[in-house]
Amino acid sequence: MRLRSILLCCLLIPSAAWSQRTSFAGTWTGYWTRSGDTLPVTMVVQRDTTGRHTATFDAERLRVSGVPFADVRIEGCCDVTLVLRGDRSTIEFSGHLRRDSLSGVFREGTSDGRFAFVRARPAAPAFDEREVTFQSGGNTLAGTLLLPRGQRPVPAVVFLHGSGPEGRWASRFLASRMADRGVAALMFDKRGVAGSSGDWRAAGPDDLAADAVAAVARLLNEPRIDPKRIGIHGHSQGGTLAPLVAVRSPHVAFVIASAAAGLPTDSVEIFSILNSVLPQATTASDSASAKQYTRELVSVAYHGQPRARLDSLVERFNTRPWFFAPPAPDNHYWTFSRVFATYDGIAWWSRVRVPVLLVYGAEDQRVPAAASASRIEGALRAGGNTQVTVQLHPGADHTFRLRPGPGGWPVTAPDYVSGLLSWLAQRSALLRDTPH
């Protein structure tokens, strides 16, 4: 009898442990907290047929949706480890699972915090999600279409990319908020990123605009999307190239451009670099030398000036506190700069005839906000387009965030998301009610 009891025990323990282990899958709501600052988070965990778990998280305050954890591990029945890798840091979460709750600690560099979640009932989605591909020249571009549920034709927005190797996830937060409100959204991987072929490093303004034009054309094949209500949204580089897309595609019905540069590209680069280095300049002499060095770097990069003078300034200033080394000779920065130096955004804005929303953070350190808004609005009106709205958010930076809270979590400008969505809703309704 005793042997039988031991055998039963040994058989039952793994079964119970496995039952608890599989219970990790599902929707969890909770928070991360650090230095007294609390960040609400929703996490979705899935388990595939091999027993492997994956997880994503949403955070309204961070303006992220569906961000994947790089690693999810479960040891024994209940010890959970999640690893989140960002562009600049890695956060590791270590917690313990107790039926319908999960809690523990996390570490990011030298900073510690705590987290806690409880199991939640998943909300019924307001939209369907579908993978799509389309052609642009010789490249196959891959993306995700968020399509609101229902029968009526809906408006749609195509998301343009910022600079660098940007994938579709960068746009997912705004895309999902639009889809929640009845506006379809197409976000796609930049050429050479994730599921898209090609090479973004070798792409100029014409190439990137062609990709966006192809994305707009792809939506014309969707029977539930109103072909007269397709617009584009671009942030930073995407906003700067938005007028080129709007002019080249006859199907673009409206434009949302956030942090779009309205000054020549070399001037914007000088503005951006100096905002990064001048805080490290401790004297008037340091400031003057930083400005001299930056102008010479941009002159070489954007206008092909000889490199000798820049190299001499490197030798002269490389011990200054503000100094940064030029990119390596084979860095794509040099070819990118030469190609974009010829782009004249203002000339393209003067040819845009559809409604435009310009959105800026007043304290943008990458793009001169007030000057850009003024010049773009002036170009639109000079071209006969009076359908322009400017939203300038006080205290907000290039990504529409205010100074972070004590825990380092960013704070979004209060009216940024609501103001953008309100304009989109009003504009979509007007376009729907306008005879075609």
Side-chain angles (χ1 to χ4, degrees), residues 160-164 190-191 199-211 235-245 261 263-269 298 301-304 332-346 348:
L160 282 57
H161 303 104
S163 59
K190 203 172 193 175
R191 54 170 63 190
D199 184 359
W200 63 271
R201 297 175 185 84
D206 289 336
D207 302 312
L208 298 176
D211 293 347
H235 175 71
S236 196
Q237 183 185 97
T240 303
L241 296 179
L244 178 57
V245 179
L263 276 66
T265 53
D266 56 350
S267 298
V268 174
E269 181 72 345
V298 172
Y302 280 74
H303 303 295
H332 79 279
Y333 174 80
W334 304 105
T335 53
F336 165 89
S337 301
R338 289 298 301 278
V339 171
F340 274 78
T342 61
Y343 177 71
D344 186 356
I346 291 298
W348 289 108

Side-chain angles (χ1 to χ4, degrees), residues 160-373:
L160 282 57
H161 303 104
S163 59
E166 186 172 288
R168 71 190 79 176
W169 297 106
S171 303
R172 187 175 179 88
F173 176 81
L174 276 181
S176 62
R177 295 305 178 272
M178 290 179 184
D180 281 336
R181 290 160 177 80
V183 178
L186 174 58
M187 47 191 179
F188 64 98
D189 301 323
K190 203 172 193 175
R191 54 170 63 190
V193 176
S196 293
S197 66
D199 184 359
W200 63 271
R201 297 175 185 84
D206 289 336
D207 302 312
L208 298 176
D211 293 347
V213 170
V216 172
R218 172 63 181 79
L219 291 183
L220 299 176
N221 298 325
E222 295 291 333
R224 285 207 48 239
I225 290 178
D226 185 344
K228 300 297 185 181
R229 292 191 288 163
I230 299 174
I232 57 175
H233 173 286
H235 175 71
S236 196
Q237 183 185 97
T240 303
L241 296 179
L244 178 57
V245 179
V247 171
R248 292 193 170 172
S249 172
H251 305 294
V252 171
F254 58 88
V255 175
I256 301 173
S258 72
L263 276 66
T265 53
D266 56 350
S267 298
V268 174
E269 181 72 345
I270 291 171
F271 175 86
S272 177
I273 294 174
L274 288 179
N275 279 324
S276 295
V277 303
L278 284 180
Q280 285 74 52
T282 56
T283 65
S285 175
D286 266 350
S287 295
S289 59
K291 293 175 182 177
Q292 181 184 7
Y293 176 76
T294 297
R295 291 192 178 97
E296 192 61 36
L297 172 68
V298 172
S299 180
V300 173
Y302 280 74
H303 303 295
Q305 293 299 312
R307 179 73 182 251
R309 177 167 170 75
L310 175 62
D311 291 338
S312 70
L313 293 180
V314 169
E315 293 297 320
R316 180 177 170 187
F317 297 139
N318 61 18
T319 60
R320 300 292 179 91
W322 54 263
F323 179 79
F324 63 97
D330 61 347
N331 191 286
H332 79 279
Y333 174 80
W334 304 105
T335 53
F336 165 89
S337 301
R338 289 298 301 278
V339 171
F340 274 78
T342 61
Y343 177 71
D344 186 356
I346 291 298
W348 289 108
W349 280 115
S350 69
R351 297 172 59 185
V352 173
R353 299 292 181 264
V354 298
V356 174
L357 172 64
L358 301 172
V359 192
Y360 291 94
E363 303 303 321
D364 193 330
Q365 299 292 294
R366 305 280 76 84
V367 169
S372 291

Side-chain angles (χ1 to χ4, degrees), residues 22-105:
T22 57
S23 69
F24 185 39
T27 300
W28 300 81
T29 60
Y31 62 86
W32 306 343
T33 185
R34 179 169 55 190
S35 301
D37 192 8
T38 299
L39 177 72
V41 175
T42 298
M43 182 169 65
V44 176
V45 182
Q46 296 180 320
R47 178 175 173 267
D48 63 22
T49 56
T50 68
R52 178 176 176 269
H53 286 83
T54 58
T56 62
F57 80 94
D58 300 352
E60 183 86 20
R61 180 169 162 187
L62 297 181
R63 298 206 314 270
V64 296
S65 178
V67 176
F69 287 88
D71 192 19
V72 181
R73 301 190 300 271
I74 304 178
E75 296 182 10
C77 69
C78 312
D79 293 322
V80 176
T81 300
L82 302 106
V83 179
L84 181 63
R85 293 194 179 96
D87 294 335
R88 299 181 180 178
S89 65
T90 297
I91 309 178
E92 182 166 314
F93 300 80
S94 301
H96 191 74
L97 183 64
R98 293 181 180 85
R99 290 185 178 273
D100 293 331
S101 67
L102 172 68
S103 61
V105 297

Side-chain angles (χ1 to χ4, degrees), residues 371-403:
S372 291
S374 177
R375 292 194 76 213
I376 293 173
E377 182 178 11
L380 287 164
R381 295 188 182 279
N385 187 350
T386 60
Q387 302 178 89
V388 54
T389 302
V390 179
Q391 295 177 356
L392 185 66
H393 297 280
D397 65 10
H398 187 63
T399 59
F400 306 101
R401 292 181 169 91
L402 310 177
R403 292 185 181 277

